[in-house]
């Protein structure tokens, strides 16, 4: 059985759009795509009057090297959000198929499924927020085409062990595609599931430059999967998903110098994460700081809403995650600059008499 047997038959049969850039490359006089002959103001040699390469080879090469896979196993899109959406659209028939998720987890999986008209099977994480592989398998129905696993998980910060990912992959052969979302894995000690792609052609791994690589604003996310899955998703994807300025920024980030900068920032985030976890645990009103392998901390409070408001009054915006199951008393706090983290602690430890003074940037 091919993994493509799990996909929507109409997508497999689809005659995809063929863009000018796909049909011909090379040549010096480009009169095939109805582009302007003139570069726009502020172009800085980017060539933005021309449509971009749908999947620019230098970027694909750099990402394949970075993630340790073959170039044919790489699909780059507008953030991993786009990859999630493409997977749901390519594999789930409206009104018939479904995805499986383990709440509390990243909201986009369910949103993409709802937009597509696909069902959502939920298998809650255990009380310690670990993944219960047997519970996931027991809940599967034939309608489930995609199983999403987020590691480290957003918003809890916990890892799913690679051996659990492998066991899940093994059990899903011929049944569903396993999607492992590793948006935060650079901040963890854990190995990526990417090497398992060669073993399991129904495994997709999502990576992004949005978090550890400081490029949330450029929208560059990568799906790693076997080439059949990559080719299938390209049929569904917009013809020119990657704006030239964004590709240029991504290539810059992936140079040696860019990689050094990213590594330094990751080290700083990890150091600050440990410091914040220790300090927050000592703050009166904090019930628990969940152990995190990501660039954020989920923190339980006696009165999370009051803390949220107090931080907001001091000009600090954190994420209220009280609507998530099992996190009815929690806020998610991203690890910021050391001085930003200081401000959070100042407010929570009531070291400030006047919140407005803090908002104005003055220290007590
Ligand atoms: C931030 C995030 C993403 C989305 O990343 P983009 O590449 O910016 O679309 C994907 N998954 C999880 C779990 C995230 O937290």
């Amino acid at each position: 059985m091919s993994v493509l047997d799990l996909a929507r038959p109409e997508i497999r049969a689809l005659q995809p759009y063929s863009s000018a850039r796909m049909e011909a490359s090379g040549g010096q006089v480009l009169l095939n795509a109805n582009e302007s002959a003139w570069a726009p103001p502020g172009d800085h040699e980017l060539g933005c009057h021309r449509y971009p390469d749908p999947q620019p080879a230098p970027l694909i090469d750099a990402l394949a090297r970075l993630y340790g896979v073959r170039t044919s196993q790489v699909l780059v899109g507008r953030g991993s959000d786009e990859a999630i959406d493409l997977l749901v659209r390519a594999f789930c028939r409206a009104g018939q198929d479904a995805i499986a998720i383990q709440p509390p987890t990243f909201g986009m999986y369910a949103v993409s499924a709802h937009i597509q008209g696909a069902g959502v099977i939920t298998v809650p994480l255990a009380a310690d927020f670990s993944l219960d592989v047997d519970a996931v398998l027991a809940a599967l129905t034939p309608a489930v085409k995609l199983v999403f696993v987020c590691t480290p998980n957003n918003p809890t910060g916990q890892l799913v062990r690679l051996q659990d990912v492998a066991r899940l992959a093994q059990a899903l052969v011929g049944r569903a595609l396993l999607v492992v979302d590793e948006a935060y894995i650079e901040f963890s000690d854990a190995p990526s599931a990417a090497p398992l792609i060669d073993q399991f052609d129904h495994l997709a791994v999502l990576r992004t430059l949005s978090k550890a690589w400081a490029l949330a604003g450029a929208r560059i996310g990568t799906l790693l999967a076997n080439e059949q899955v990559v080719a299938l998703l390209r049929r569904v994807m917009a013809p020119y998903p990657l704006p030239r300025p964004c590709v240029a920024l991504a290539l810059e980030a992936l140079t040696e110098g860019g990689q050094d900068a990213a590594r330094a920032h990751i080290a700083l985030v990890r150091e600050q994460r440990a410091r914040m976890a220790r300090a927050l645990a000592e703050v009166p009103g904090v019930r628990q700081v969940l152990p995190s392998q990501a660039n954020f901390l989920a923190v339980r409070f006696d009165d999370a809403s009051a803390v949220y408001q107090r931080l907001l009054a001091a000009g600090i915006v954190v994420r209220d995650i009280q609507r998530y199951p099992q996190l009815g008393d929690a806020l998610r706090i991203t690890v910021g600059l050391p001085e930003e983290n200081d401000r959070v602690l100042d407010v929570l430890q009531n070291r400030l008499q006047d919140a407005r003074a803090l908002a104005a940037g003055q220290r007590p």
Side-chain angles (χ1 to χ4, degrees), residues 173-235:
V173 171
R175 299 172 72 186
L177 193 85
L178 176 60
V179 187
V180 181
D181 186 342
E182 297 183 338
Y184 299 97
I185 197 152
E186 291 92 340
F187 301 106
S188 80
D189 304 316
S192 169
L196 296 177
I197 290 169
D198 280 330
Q199 200 178 328
F200 299 111
D201 69 359
H202 64 299
L203 174 66
V205 174
L206 306 183
R207 303 290 301 257
T208 180
L209 299 187
S210 290
K211 310 283 163 55
W213 293 85
L215 279 176
R219 314 301 304 124
I220 302 284
T222 305
L223 173 135
L224 312 173
N226 99 58
E227 47 223 66
Q228 288 178 296
V229 172
V230 168
L232 180 83
L233 297 181
R234 279 199 71 181
R235 293 164 161 258

Short mmCIF file of all heavy atoms in Angstrom, two decimals, residues 173-235:
data_model
loop_
_atom_site.label_atom_id
_atom_site.label_comp_id
_atom_site.label_asym_id
_atom_site.label_seq_id
_atom_site.Cartn_x
_atom_site.Cartn_y
_atom_site.Cartn_z
N VAL A 173 0.94 2.40 10.28
CA VAL A 173 1.23 1.96 8.91
C VAL A 173 -0.07 1.53 8.22
O VAL A 173 -0.85 0.75 8.76
CB VAL A 173 2.22 0.77 8.90
CG1 VAL A 173 2.35 0.18 7.49
CG2 VAL A 173 3.59 1.21 9.41
N GLY A 174 -0.32 2.12 7.05
CA GLY A 174 -1.50 1.75 6.28
C GLY A 174 -2.79 2.34 6.82
O GLY A 174 -3.87 2.09 6.27
N ARG A 175 -2.73 3.09 7.93
CA ARG A 175 -3.96 3.60 8.54
C ARG A 175 -4.07 5.12 8.46
O ARG A 175 -5.13 5.65 8.14
CB ARG A 175 -4.02 3.17 10.01
CG ARG A 175 -4.03 1.68 10.20
CD ARG A 175 -3.90 1.30 11.65
NE ARG A 175 -5.12 1.59 12.40
CZ ARG A 175 -5.23 1.46 13.72
NH1 ARG A 175 -4.19 1.06 14.43
NH2 ARG A 175 -6.36 1.73 14.33
N ALA A 176 -3.00 5.81 8.80
CA ALA A 176 -3.06 7.28 8.83
C ALA A 176 -1.65 7.84 8.70
O ALA A 176 -0.66 7.16 8.98
CB ALA A 176 -3.68 7.76 10.14
N LEU A 177 -1.58 9.10 8.27
CA LEU A 177 -0.31 9.80 8.21
C LEU A 177 -0.02 10.38 9.60
O LEU A 177 -0.90 10.98 10.22
CB LEU A 177 -0.40 10.93 7.19
CG LEU A 177 0.90 11.59 6.75
CD1 LEU A 177 1.53 10.78 5.63
CD2 LEU A 177 0.65 13.01 6.25
N LEU A 178 1.21 10.20 10.08
CA LEU A 178 1.61 10.78 11.36
C LEU A 178 2.34 12.10 11.10
O LEU A 178 3.31 12.13 10.35
CB LEU A 178 2.52 9.82 12.12
CG LEU A 178 3.09 10.32 13.44
CD1 LEU A 178 1.98 10.67 14.43
CD2 LEU A 178 4.04 9.29 14.05
N VAL A 179 1.85 13.18 11.70
CA VAL A 179 2.45 14.50 11.51
C VAL A 179 3.08 14.94 12.83
O VAL A 179 2.38 15.13 13.83
CB VAL A 179 1.39 15.54 11.08
CG1 VAL A 179 2.08 16.86 10.74
CG2 VAL A 179 0.57 15.03 9.92
N VAL A 180 4.39 15.08 12.85
CA VAL A 180 5.11 15.46 14.07
C VAL A 180 5.53 16.92 13.93
O VAL A 180 6.34 17.27 13.09
CB VAL A 180 6.34 14.55 14.29
CG1 VAL A 180 7.07 14.95 15.57
CG2 VAL A 180 5.90 13.09 14.37
N ASP A 181 4.93 17.77 14.75
CA ASP A 181 5.18 19.21 14.69
C ASP A 181 6.31 19.57 15.66
O ASP A 181 6.15 19.52 16.87
CB ASP A 181 3.89 19.96 15.05
CG ASP A 181 4.01 21.47 14.87
OD1 ASP A 181 5.14 21.99 14.80
OD2 ASP A 181 2.95 22.13 14.84
N GLU A 182 7.46 19.92 15.08
CA GLU A 182 8.65 20.22 15.89
C GLU A 182 8.99 21.71 15.87
O GLU A 182 10.15 22.09 15.80
CB GLU A 182 9.84 19.40 15.37
CG GLU A 182 9.62 17.89 15.50
CD GLU A 182 10.82 17.06 15.06
OE1 GLU A 182 11.67 17.56 14.28
OE2 GLU A 182 10.91 15.90 15.49
N ALA A 183 7.98 22.56 15.97
CA ALA A 183 8.19 24.00 15.87
C ALA A 183 9.20 24.53 16.89
O ALA A 183 9.88 25.52 16.64
CB ALA A 183 6.86 24.74 16.03
N TYR A 184 9.30 23.86 18.04
CA TYR A 184 10.17 24.36 19.12
C TYR A 184 11.35 23.45 19.43
O TYR A 184 12.01 23.62 20.44
CB TYR A 184 9.34 24.53 20.41
CG TYR A 184 8.21 25.51 20.25
CD1 TYR A 184 6.91 25.08 19.97
CD2 TYR A 184 8.43 26.87 20.36
CE1 TYR A 184 5.88 25.98 19.80
CE2 TYR A 184 7.40 27.78 20.20
CZ TYR A 184 6.13 27.32 19.92
OH TYR A 184 5.10 28.21 19.75
N ILE A 185 11.61 22.48 18.58
CA ILE A 185 12.57 21.44 18.97
C ILE A 185 13.99 21.98 19.15
O ILE A 185 14.78 21.43 19.92
CB ILE A 185 12.54 20.26 17.98
CG1 ILE A 185 13.20 19.04 18.63
CG2 ILE A 185 13.21 20.63 16.66
CD1 ILE A 185 12.69 17.74 18.14
N GLU A 186 14.31 23.10 18.49
CA GLU A 186 15.66 23.67 18.64
C GLU A 186 15.94 24.07 20.09
O GLU A 186 17.10 24.16 20.49
CB GLU A 186 15.83 24.90 17.75
CG GLU A 186 15.86 24.59 16.26
CD GLU A 186 14.49 24.67 15.62
OE1 GLU A 186 13.46 24.59 16.34
OE2 GLU A 186 14.43 24.82 14.38
N PHE A 187 14.89 24.35 20.86
CA PHE A 187 15.08 24.78 22.25
C PHE A 187 15.19 23.59 23.20
O PHE A 187 15.32 23.77 24.40
CB PHE A 187 13.91 25.66 22.69
CG PHE A 187 13.72 26.89 21.86
CD1 PHE A 187 12.68 26.98 20.96
CD2 PHE A 187 14.60 27.96 21.97
CE1 PHE A 187 12.50 28.13 20.18
CE2 PHE A 187 14.44 29.10 21.20
CZ PHE A 187 13.39 29.19 20.31
N SER A 188 15.09 22.37 22.68
CA SER A 188 15.04 21.19 23.53
C SER A 188 16.33 20.39 23.44
O SER A 188 17.23 20.72 22.67
CB SER A 188 13.88 20.29 23.09
OG SER A 188 14.26 19.54 21.95
N ASP A 189 16.39 19.33 24.23
CA ASP A 189 17.53 18.41 24.16
C ASP A 189 17.23 17.23 23.26
O ASP A 189 18.04 16.32 23.14
CB ASP A 189 17.85 17.87 25.56
CG ASP A 189 18.10 18.99 26.56
OD1 ASP A 189 18.81 19.93 26.20
OD2 ASP A 189 17.56 18.92 27.68
N ALA A 190 16.04 17.23 22.66
CA ALA A 190 15.57 16.02 21.98
C ALA A 190 16.02 15.96 20.53
O ALA A 190 16.14 16.99 19.86
CB ALA A 190 14.06 15.95 22.04
N PRO A 191 16.25 14.75 20.02
CA PRO A 191 16.54 14.59 18.59
C PRO A 191 15.26 14.73 17.77
O PRO A 191 14.17 14.44 18.26
CB PRO A 191 17.08 13.16 18.51
CG PRO A 191 16.45 12.44 19.65
CD PRO A 191 16.23 13.47 20.74
N SER A 192 15.41 15.16 16.53
CA SER A 192 14.27 15.27 15.62
C SER A 192 13.80 13.90 15.15
O SER A 192 14.58 12.95 15.10
CB SER A 192 14.68 16.11 14.42
OG SER A 192 13.70 16.05 13.40
N ALA A 193 12.54 13.83 14.77
CA ALA A 193 12.01 12.60 14.18
C ALA A 193 12.34 12.51 12.69
O ALA A 193 12.02 11.50 12.05
CB ALA A 193 10.50 12.53 14.39
N ALA A 194 13.00 13.52 12.14
CA ALA A 194 13.26 13.56 10.69
C ALA A 194 13.93 12.30 10.14
O ALA A 194 13.56 11.84 9.06
CB ALA A 194 14.06 14.82 10.34
N PRO A 195 14.92 11.73 10.85
CA PRO A 195 15.55 10.52 10.29
C PRO A 195 14.59 9.35 10.10
O PRO A 195 14.87 8.44 9.32
CB PRO A 195 16.63 10.16 11.34
CG PRO A 195 16.90 11.43 12.07
CD PRO A 195 15.60 12.18 12.09
N LEU A 196 13.45 9.38 10.78
CA LEU A 196 12.47 8.28 10.65
C LEU A 196 11.71 8.32 9.32
O LEU A 196 11.02 7.36 8.99
CB LEU A 196 11.46 8.32 11.81
CG LEU A 196 12.03 8.09 13.22
CD1 LEU A 196 10.91 8.23 14.26
CD2 LEU A 196 12.66 6.71 13.32
N ILE A 197 11.85 9.44 8.60
CA ILE A 197 11.12 9.56 7.33
C ILE A 197 11.54 8.47 6.34
O ILE A 197 10.71 7.96 5.58
CB ILE A 197 11.37 10.96 6.71
CG1 ILE A 197 10.66 12.02 7.54
CG2 ILE A 197 10.86 11.02 5.28
CD1 ILE A 197 11.07 13.41 7.15
N ASP A 198 12.82 8.12 6.38
CA ASP A 198 13.29 7.07 5.47
C ASP A 198 12.67 5.71 5.79
O ASP A 198 12.56 4.85 4.93
CB ASP A 198 14.82 6.97 5.53
CG ASP A 198 15.47 8.07 4.70
OD1 ASP A 198 14.86 8.48 3.69
OD2 ASP A 198 16.57 8.50 5.06
N GLN A 199 12.31 5.57 7.04
CA GLN A 199 11.74 4.30 7.50
C GLN A 199 10.23 4.25 7.29
O GLN A 199 9.67 3.20 7.02
CB GLN A 199 12.08 4.20 8.99
CG GLN A 199 12.03 2.85 9.61
CD GLN A 199 12.44 2.97 11.08
OE1 GLN A 199 13.26 3.83 11.46
NE2 GLN A 199 11.86 2.14 11.91
N PHE A 200 9.57 5.40 7.46
CA PHE A 200 8.11 5.45 7.40
C PHE A 200 7.66 6.45 6.34
O PHE A 200 7.83 7.65 6.50
CB PHE A 200 7.53 5.89 8.75
CG PHE A 200 7.87 4.97 9.90
CD1 PHE A 200 8.72 5.39 10.90
CD2 PHE A 200 7.33 3.70 9.97
CE1 PHE A 200 9.03 4.56 11.97
CE2 PHE A 200 7.63 2.85 11.03
CZ PHE A 200 8.48 3.29 12.03
N ASP A 201 7.06 5.94 5.26
CA ASP A 201 6.66 6.89 4.21
C ASP A 201 5.34 7.59 4.55
O ASP A 201 4.86 8.42 3.79
CB ASP A 201 6.62 6.23 2.82
CG ASP A 201 5.51 5.23 2.68
OD1 ASP A 201 4.77 5.01 3.65
OD2 ASP A 201 5.38 4.65 1.58
N HIS A 202 4.76 7.28 5.71
CA HIS A 202 3.54 7.97 6.15
C HIS A 202 3.86 8.90 7.32
O HIS A 202 3.00 9.19 8.14
CB HIS A 202 2.47 6.95 6.54
CG HIS A 202 2.87 6.11 7.72
ND1 HIS A 202 3.96 5.29 7.71
CD2 HIS A 202 2.35 5.99 8.96
CE1 HIS A 202 4.09 4.71 8.88
NE2 HIS A 202 3.12 5.11 9.66
N LEU A 203 5.11 9.35 7.41
CA LEU A 203 5.50 10.28 8.46
C LEU A 203 5.85 11.63 7.86
O LEU A 203 6.59 11.70 6.87
CB LEU A 203 6.73 9.73 9.21
CG LEU A 203 7.36 10.64 10.26
CD1 LEU A 203 6.42 10.86 11.44
CD2 LEU A 203 8.69 10.07 10.75
N ALA A 204 5.30 12.69 8.43
CA ALA A 204 5.68 14.06 8.04
C ALA A 204 6.16 14.80 9.27
O ALA A 204 5.57 14.66 10.35
CB ALA A 204 4.49 14.79 7.42
N VAL A 205 7.24 15.55 9.13
CA VAL A 205 7.79 16.33 10.24
C VAL A 205 7.71 17.80 9.86
O VAL A 205 8.09 18.18 8.75
CB VAL A 205 9.25 15.93 10.53
CG1 VAL A 205 9.87 16.82 11.60
CG2 VAL A 205 9.32 14.45 10.96
N LEU A 206 7.17 18.63 10.76
CA LEU A 206 7.06 20.06 10.49
C LEU A 206 8.13 20.82 11.25
O LEU A 206 8.30 20.65 12.46
CB LEU A 206 5.68 20.58 10.93
CG LEU A 206 4.46 19.85 10.37
CD1 LEU A 206 3.18 20.54 10.83
CD2 LEU A 206 4.52 19.81 8.84
N ARG A 207 8.86 21.66 10.52
CA ARG A 207 9.87 22.53 11.13
C ARG A 207 9.57 23.96 10.68
O ARG A 207 8.89 24.17 9.68
CB ARG A 207 11.28 22.11 10.66
CG ARG A 207 11.64 20.67 10.96
CD ARG A 207 11.84 20.40 12.44
NE ARG A 207 12.88 21.20 13.02
CZ ARG A 207 14.12 20.76 13.32
NH1 ARG A 207 14.45 19.51 13.07
NH2 ARG A 207 15.01 21.56 13.87
N THR A 208 10.10 24.91 11.40
CA THR A 208 9.82 26.30 11.04
C THR A 208 11.01 27.19 11.35
O THR A 208 11.79 26.88 12.26
CB THR A 208 8.56 26.82 11.78
OG1 THR A 208 8.32 28.17 11.40
CG2 THR A 208 8.74 26.76 13.30
N LEU A 209 11.12 28.28 10.60
CA LEU A 209 12.13 29.30 10.93
C LEU A 209 11.51 30.39 11.82
O LEU A 209 12.16 31.39 12.13
CB LEU A 209 12.71 29.93 9.65
CG LEU A 209 13.44 28.98 8.69
CD1 LEU A 209 14.10 29.78 7.56
CD2 LEU A 209 14.50 28.13 9.41
N SER A 210 10.26 30.20 12.24
CA SER A 210 9.55 31.26 12.96
C SER A 210 9.99 31.45 14.39
O SER A 210 9.84 32.54 14.94
CB SER A 210 8.04 30.98 12.98
OG SER A 210 7.49 31.12 11.70
N LYS A 211 10.48 30.41 15.03
CA LYS A 211 10.73 30.51 16.46
C LYS A 211 12.23 30.67 16.73
O LYS A 211 12.71 31.76 16.90
CB LYS A 211 10.12 29.30 17.17
CG LYS A 211 8.66 29.03 16.78
CD LYS A 211 7.68 29.97 17.44
CE LYS A 211 6.29 30.06 16.84
NZ LYS A 211 5.49 28.88 16.65
N ALA A 212 12.98 29.57 16.69
CA ALA A 212 14.41 29.63 17.00
C ALA A 212 15.20 30.46 15.99
O ALA A 212 16.27 30.98 16.30
CB ALA A 212 14.98 28.22 17.09
N TRP A 213 14.68 30.60 14.78
CA TRP A 213 15.42 31.30 13.74
C TRP A 213 14.98 32.74 13.55
O TRP A 213 15.39 33.41 12.59
CB TRP A 213 15.32 30.52 12.42
CG TRP A 213 16.03 29.22 12.54
CD1 TRP A 213 15.52 28.05 13.04
CD2 TRP A 213 17.40 28.95 12.23
NE1 TRP A 213 16.49 27.07 13.05
CE2 TRP A 213 17.65 27.60 12.56
CE3 TRP A 213 18.44 29.73 11.71
CZ2 TRP A 213 18.91 27.01 12.37
CZ3 TRP A 213 19.67 29.14 11.52
CH2 TRP A 213 19.90 27.81 11.86
N ALA A 214 14.11 33.19 14.44
CA ALA A 214 13.77 34.62 14.51
C ALA A 214 13.12 35.17 13.25
O ALA A 214 13.25 36.35 12.94
CB ALA A 214 15.02 35.45 14.86
N LEU A 215 12.40 34.31 12.51
CA LEU A 215 11.83 34.77 11.24
C LEU A 215 10.31 34.60 11.16
O LEU A 215 9.77 34.33 10.08
CB LEU A 215 12.50 34.02 10.07
CG LEU A 215 13.85 34.56 9.64
CD1 LEU A 215 14.46 33.68 8.55
CD2 LEU A 215 13.74 36.00 9.13
N ALA A 216 9.63 34.81 12.28
CA ALA A 216 8.16 34.68 12.27
C ALA A 216 7.55 35.58 11.20
O ALA A 216 6.56 35.23 10.55
CB ALA A 216 7.58 34.98 13.64
N GLY A 217 8.14 36.76 11.01
CA GLY A 217 7.59 37.71 10.06
C GLY A 217 7.85 37.37 8.61
O GLY A 217 7.23 37.95 7.71
N ALA A 218 8.74 36.42 8.36
CA ALA A 218 9.04 36.05 6.97
C ALA A 218 8.20 34.85 6.51
O ALA A 218 8.11 34.60 5.31
CB ALA A 218 10.53 35.73 6.80
N ARG A 219 7.59 34.14 7.45
CA ARG A 219 6.71 33.01 7.13
C ARG A 219 7.40 31.92 6.32
O ARG A 219 7.07 31.67 5.16
CB ARG A 219 5.44 33.48 6.38
CG ARG A 219 4.72 34.68 6.93
CD ARG A 219 4.26 34.49 8.37
NE ARG A 219 3.42 33.33 8.55
CZ ARG A 219 3.68 32.34 9.42
NH1 ARG A 219 4.75 32.37 10.19
NH2 ARG A 219 2.86 31.32 9.55
N ILE A 220 8.38 31.28 6.89
CA ILE A 220 9.06 30.18 6.21
C ILE A 220 8.96 28.93 7.07
O ILE A 220 9.59 28.82 8.12
CB ILE A 220 10.56 30.50 5.95
CG1 ILE A 220 10.72 31.78 5.12
CG2 ILE A 220 11.23 29.32 5.26
CD1 ILE A 220 10.41 31.66 3.65
N GLY A 221 8.16 27.99 6.63
CA GLY A 221 8.00 26.73 7.35
C GLY A 221 8.28 25.58 6.40
O GLY A 221 8.14 25.71 5.18
N THR A 222 8.70 24.46 6.95
CA THR A 222 9.13 23.34 6.13
C THR A 222 8.41 22.06 6.54
O THR A 222 8.28 21.78 7.73
CB THR A 222 10.65 23.13 6.28
OG1 THR A 222 11.30 24.36 5.97
CG2 THR A 222 11.16 22.06 5.34
N LEU A 223 7.98 21.33 5.55
CA LEU A 223 7.47 19.98 5.78
C LEU A 223 8.50 19.00 5.25
O LEU A 223 8.99 19.15 4.13
CB LEU A 223 6.13 19.81 5.06
CG LEU A 223 5.55 18.39 5.07
CD1 LEU A 223 4.06 18.44 5.40
CD2 LEU A 223 5.77 17.69 3.73
N LEU A 224 8.85 18.05 6.09
CA LEU A 224 9.77 16.99 5.68
C LEU A 224 8.96 15.70 5.59
O LEU A 224 8.28 15.32 6.54
CB LEU A 224 10.89 16.82 6.73
CG LEU A 224 11.59 18.10 7.20
CD1 LEU A 224 12.55 17.80 8.35
CD2 LEU A 224 12.32 18.76 6.05
N ALA A 225 9.02 15.06 4.45
CA ALA A 225 8.26 13.83 4.26
C ALA A 225 8.78 13.10 3.03
O ALA A 225 9.61 13.65 2.30
CB ALA A 225 6.77 14.13 4.09
N ASN A 226 8.28 11.92 2.81
CA ASN A 226 8.74 11.20 1.62
C ASN A 226 8.28 11.94 0.36
O ASN A 226 7.32 12.70 0.38
CB ASN A 226 8.34 9.72 1.68
CG ASN A 226 7.10 9.41 0.88
OD1 ASN A 226 7.04 9.66 -0.33
ND2 ASN A 226 6.10 8.89 1.54
N GLU A 227 9.00 11.73 -0.72
CA GLU A 227 8.80 12.58 -1.90
C GLU A 227 7.40 12.49 -2.50
O GLU A 227 6.93 13.44 -3.11
CB GLU A 227 9.87 12.30 -2.96
CG GLU A 227 10.11 10.86 -3.25
CD GLU A 227 11.62 10.58 -3.36
OE1 GLU A 227 12.33 10.71 -2.36
OE2 GLU A 227 12.04 10.23 -4.46
N GLN A 228 6.73 11.36 -2.32
CA GLN A 228 5.36 11.24 -2.83
C GLN A 228 4.43 12.21 -2.12
O GLN A 228 3.55 12.82 -2.74
CB GLN A 228 4.83 9.82 -2.61
CG GLN A 228 5.45 8.77 -3.49
CD GLN A 228 4.87 7.41 -3.12
OE1 GLN A 228 5.06 6.93 -2.01
NE2 GLN A 228 4.13 6.82 -4.05
N VAL A 229 4.62 12.33 -0.82
CA VAL A 229 3.78 13.24 -0.05
C VAL A 229 4.10 14.68 -0.44
O VAL A 229 3.20 15.51 -0.64
CB VAL A 229 3.98 13.03 1.48
CG1 VAL A 229 3.26 14.10 2.28
CG2 VAL A 229 3.49 11.64 1.88
N VAL A 230 5.40 14.99 -0.58
CA VAL A 230 5.81 16.33 -1.00
C VAL A 230 5.19 16.68 -2.35
O VAL A 230 4.62 17.76 -2.54
CB VAL A 230 7.36 16.43 -1.06
CG1 VAL A 230 7.80 17.72 -1.76
CG2 VAL A 230 7.95 16.35 0.36
N ALA A 231 5.24 15.74 -3.29
CA ALA A 231 4.69 15.99 -4.63
C ALA A 231 3.18 16.17 -4.58
O ALA A 231 2.61 17.03 -5.25
CB ALA A 231 5.07 14.84 -5.57
N LEU A 232 2.52 15.39 -3.74
CA LEU A 232 1.06 15.51 -3.62
C LEU A 232 0.67 16.89 -3.09
O LEU A 232 -0.24 17.54 -3.61
CB LEU A 232 0.52 14.43 -2.68
CG LEU A 232 -0.99 14.47 -2.49
CD1 LEU A 232 -1.67 13.74 -3.63
CD2 LEU A 232 -1.41 13.86 -1.15
N LEU A 233 1.38 17.34 -2.06
CA LEU A 233 1.04 18.63 -1.45
C LEU A 233 1.33 19.79 -2.39
O LEU A 233 0.63 20.81 -2.36
CB LEU A 233 1.78 18.81 -0.12
CG LEU A 233 1.43 17.80 0.97
CD1 LEU A 233 2.21 18.09 2.24
CD2 LEU A 233 -0.07 17.79 1.27
N ARG A 234 2.32 19.62 -3.24
CA ARG A 234 2.62 20.70 -4.20
C ARG A 234 1.47 20.90 -5.18
O ARG A 234 1.28 22.00 -5.70
CB ARG A 234 3.91 20.39 -4.97
CG ARG A 234 5.14 20.77 -4.16
CD ARG A 234 6.37 20.91 -5.02
NE ARG A 234 6.34 22.11 -5.87
CZ ARG A 234 7.30 22.43 -6.73
NH1 ARG A 234 8.34 21.64 -6.86
NH2 ARG A 234 7.21 23.52 -7.46
N ARG A 235 0.67 19.87 -5.41
CA ARG A 235 -0.49 20.03 -6.28
C ARG A 235 -1.53 20.96 -5.66
O ARG A 235 -2.30 21.61 -6.37
CB ARG A 235 -1.19 18.68 -6.48
CG ARG A 235 -0.38 17.70 -7.25
CD ARG A 235 -0.95 16.31 -7.06
NE ARG A 235 -0.44 15.49 -8.14
CZ ARG A 235 -1.16 15.17 -9.22
NH1 ARG A 235 -2.42 15.48 -9.32
NH2 ARG A 235 -0.61 14.49 -10.19
#
